[in-house]
Amino acid sequence: MDAFGSLMEGFGTALTPTNLAFALLGVLLGTAIGVLPGIGPAMAVALLLPLTRGLDVTTALIMFAGIYYGGMYGGSTTSILLNTPGESASVVTAIEGNKMARSGRAAQALATAAIGSFVAGTIATLLLALVAPLVADLAVEVSPADMFAIMVLAFIAVTSVLGSSRVRGLASLGLGLAIGLVGIDATSGQQRLTFGIGELADGIDIVVVAVGLFAVGEALWTAAHLRRRPVEVIPVGNPRMSRSDWRRSWKPWLRGTAIGFPFGAVPAGGAEVPTFLSYVTEKRLSRHPEEFGTGAIEGVAGPEATNNASAAGGLVPLLTLGIPVTATAAVLLAAIESYGIQPGPQLFDSEPELVWGLIASLFIGNTALLVLNLPLAPLWARLLRIPRTYLYAGILFFASLGAYATNANVFDLFMLLVIGALGFMMRRFGLPLLPAIVGVILGPFAEAELRQALQISNGAIGGLIDPLSVVVYVIVALVLLWPLVRLLLPKKGVHVPVLDEAVHEIEEAHHHHGTTDAISVEARAKQDPDRP
């Protein structure tokens, strides 16, 4: 069946009363939680993950799709009104969005963000429906050796593009791989890293890991750096755009979509680099470059469209290869796996109703976001006035309740606190969270692919070498050695101005904001001056 026919069947699944109701509920919950300061979409999904255990798998994932898009919209609201990005991809929105808000144009900034998100999300979801089946068909032919190489590329890339240090990224990946190895070895039947604790024989539940790292770790971090004075919230008027605003926004929306989707669709792409690239591109192409730094609407429209297009693009490797490229996609992968379903090349054949219902629900959720959130923007702004002490106490309560409900095991509560403390320490020492969660989820599957490739070759290392894997390993080597090669290149070499300026913007943002994996910039402002 062609992609269009499958998508129509997906709409039949997504538009059932139950699934439609949960899609709308996911949009509202995602936006409400994503709007709260310091809570990005990854934390929103992680926090609500245990609450869907009693739902049908298709209904649960349709709800999470709504939470996914809603959380991203809420993150842009916080960035614009509080200058508090919930994740690294929202840092760019804060640069111009908060300046617009402070100059009395908060409503216009929120409107161009919402409409840009809708335009980019719709186009990118359509591209997802067209591209994903083709990638899945190609991926069926991928050998275990090639799949292992692709996973190694994902490991290396997520440690290289996030945070201010590759060493910290690799350290975070190592922690995740270690957690993923806990339990019984599927091949030998021996226990690994259980330290004689019987409850660890089945491994650590991925839901507990996700909720602990994102929700508990963030709550502990914020409590340790809580600012006592009330948050200053910029008032929001009627979010209407003038003709000039429309004229200056529609091209950045389309350019942002064109930049964001390919970056998201590449395993280990992510949204941080393309959003900065979009910002720099709009700055160069704008007829009003003097407004950048003081509140240029193009600086909100382009990056927000890029962010949402990248999010939809990130579902391509997630659904076809089982590889997440963002923290939110990693938590979504955990949600899918909690139902005993492993995303990969066979998913489109084995679970067509699930996949196409999920893709169709993205169109529904995207439309619902635009219809609901433009008039509700002032209401979302009021949520920002919730006292932090109540907010994070509630987060800890629901995180603990959800972790216990996962297996009805008190030991999971203990592990939740341990993982939460680990998440706190990772924030304290600047370790990004995404490599850790990717290591936990993909580590066991990378090991399985490695063993299968070696079994096919009777243990010969040559079994890991295929034409495709050679290309992938070359890319891995380039990613690892690029800093060294860059030092050896002549100073007056060939430069791409837009890329050079984007790299400069990223370095500046990291200098001022730090690594923002679901971490509030406002909380980081109170960090110790001698923090590494």
Side-chain angles (χ1 to χ4, degrees):
M1 184 182 294
D2 62 350
F4 180 77
S6 299
L7 185 60
M8 290 301 101
E9 289 191 2
F11 273 108
T13 300
L15 289 173
T16 60
T18 300
N19 289 341
L20 183 60
F22 276 99
L24 297 177
L25 179 62
V27 165
L28 287 172
L29 286 176
T31 306
I33 293 181
V35 151
L36 297 173
I39 303 179
M43 183 174 171
V45 176
L47 192 62
L48 296 171
L49 176 57
L51 304 182
T52 61
R53 278 299 178 92
L55 298 177
D56 174 74
V57 58
T58 303
T59 304
L61 290 180
I62 285 175
M63 179 180 176
F64 274 118
I67 294 171
Y68 186 25
Y69 272 18
M72 294 183 63
Y73 176 87
S76 67
T77 302
T78 310
S79 297
I80 291 168
L81 298 182
L82 281 186
N83 196 27
T84 306
E87 59 172 0
S88 55
S90 301
V91 170
V92 189
T93 303
I95 295 174
E96 299 297 329
N98 189 249
K99 294 287 196 311
M100 287 184 66
R102 292 189 179 280
S103 63
R105 287 172 50 78
Q108 286 71 30
L110 290 173
T112 192
I115 298 171
S117 298
F118 170 77
V119 171
T122 301
I123 296 174
T125 304
L126 183 60
L127 291 174
L128 166 67
L130 296 174
V131 171
L134 301 177
V135 176
D137 290 340
L138 294 174
V140 171
E141 307 299 326
V142 173
S143 68
D146 295 333
M147 200 66 193
F148 174 72
I150 292 172
M151 289 188 177
V152 170
L153 174 61
F155 289 148
I156 297 302
V158 295
T159 63
S160 300
V161 301
L162 293 172
S164 56
S165 166
R166 294 188 181 210
V167 174
R168 289 173 180 161
L170 289 170
S172 175
L173 176 65
L175 288 172
L177 291 174
I179 295 172
L181 290 176
V182 173
I184 297 176
D185 178 14
T187 302
S188 66
Q190 298 295 313
Q191 293 190 11
R192 300 185 298 190
L193 302 177
T194 59
F195 305 103
I197 302 173
E199 288 85 350
L200 290 177
D202 291 331
I204 303 175
D205 195 296
I206 186 60
V207 175
V208 174
V209 176
V211 175
L213 282 179
F214 288 103
V216 178
E218 174 65 19
L220 294 176
W221 175 260
T222 304
H225 301 84
L226 192 62
R227 190 169 63 178
R228 294 298 177 185
R229 65 185 178 86
V231 175
E232 177 191 354
V233 181
I234 298 171
V236 178
N238 190 6
R240 289 183 178 175
M241 296 172 61
S242 65
R243 286 188 178 182
S244 174
D245 293 333
W246 281 94
R247 189 167 56 250
R248 293 176 58 178
S249 295
W250 72 270
K251 288 182 180 178
W253 292 336
L254 297 180
R255 282 192 292 260
T257 305
I259 293 172
F261 184 81
F263 269 91
V266 174
E272 185 181 35
V273 173
T275 51
F276 278 100
L277 190 59
S278 171
Y279 177 77
V280 172
T281 302
E282 297 309 323
K283 188 175 180 180
R284 284 181 166 271
L285 296 178
S286 174
R287 295 181 180 178
H288 308 277
E290 72 282 354
E291 292 186 16
F292 278 78
T294 61
I297 195 169
E298 296 95 336
V300 179
E304 267 304 298
T306 303
N307 189 8
N308 280 266
S310 179
L315 293 176
V316 174
L318 177 67
L319 296 176
T320 60
L321 300 174
I323 295 177
V325 297
T326 65
T328 315
V331 182
L332 279 176
L333 178 58
I336 297 172
E337 289 182 354
S338 68
Y339 284 90
I341 298 172
Q342 175 56 39
Q346 304 292 342
L347 186 63
F348 280 78
D349 293 328
S350 61
E351 300 284 349
E353 181 180 349
L354 169 67
V355 174
W356 290 106
L358 175 64
I359 293 174
S361 73
L362 294 176
F363 288 101
I364 297 169
N366 212 21
T367 305
L369 276 170
L370 185 68
V371 172
L372 292 174
N373 286 329
L374 278 178
L376 291 179
L379 173 63
W380 300 132
R382 291 177 190 170
L383 288 177
L384 298 172
R385 301 184 185 276
I386 296 176
R388 294 295 187 86
T389 48
Y390 300 157
L391 173 61
Y392 285 94
I395 287 175
L396 285 175
F397 172 76
F398 283 108
S400 302
L401 186 66
Y404 178 76
T406 300
N407 297 308
N409 189 346
V410 176
F411 184 78
D412 283 342
L413 288 177
F414 171 75
M415 289 307 305
L416 180 72
L417 293 178
V418 172
I419 299 293
L422 176 64
F424 172 83
M425 295 305 295
M426 290 176 69
R427 287 166 170 82
R428 171 65 183 82
F429 293 103
L431 272 64
L433 297 181
L434 177 57
I437 197 72
V438 167
V440 172
I441 296 173
L442 291 189
F445 295 104
E447 180 189 19
E449 298 290 348
L450 173 64
R451 287 186 167 180
Q452 187 175 351
L454 292 176
Q455 287 171 352
I456 292 173
S457 65
N458 291 320
I461 297 298
L464 299 178
I465 306 300
D466 276 349
L468 175 59
S469 64
V470 170
V471 175
V472 175
Y473 287 132
V474 169
I475 297 173
V476 169
L478 290 175
V479 172
L480 289 174
L481 298 177
W482 173 246
L484 179 60
V485 173
R486 195 175 178 185
L487 290 175
L488 298 176
L489 288 176
K491 294 282 186 178
K492 296 182 180 179
V494 178
H495 296 284
V496 181
V498 173
L499 289 177
D500 287 346
E501 193 172 344
V503 170
H504 175 71
E505 293 282 355
I506 292 173
E507 291 172 348
E508 285 292 313
H510 279 309
H511 175 71
H512 291 295
H513 297 299
T515 306
T516 52
D517 294 77
I519 304 169
S520 75
V521 174
E522 180 185 357
R524 287 190 176 277
K526 302 297 289 184
Q527 66 192 7
D528 298 333
D530 60 344
R531 176 175 175 267

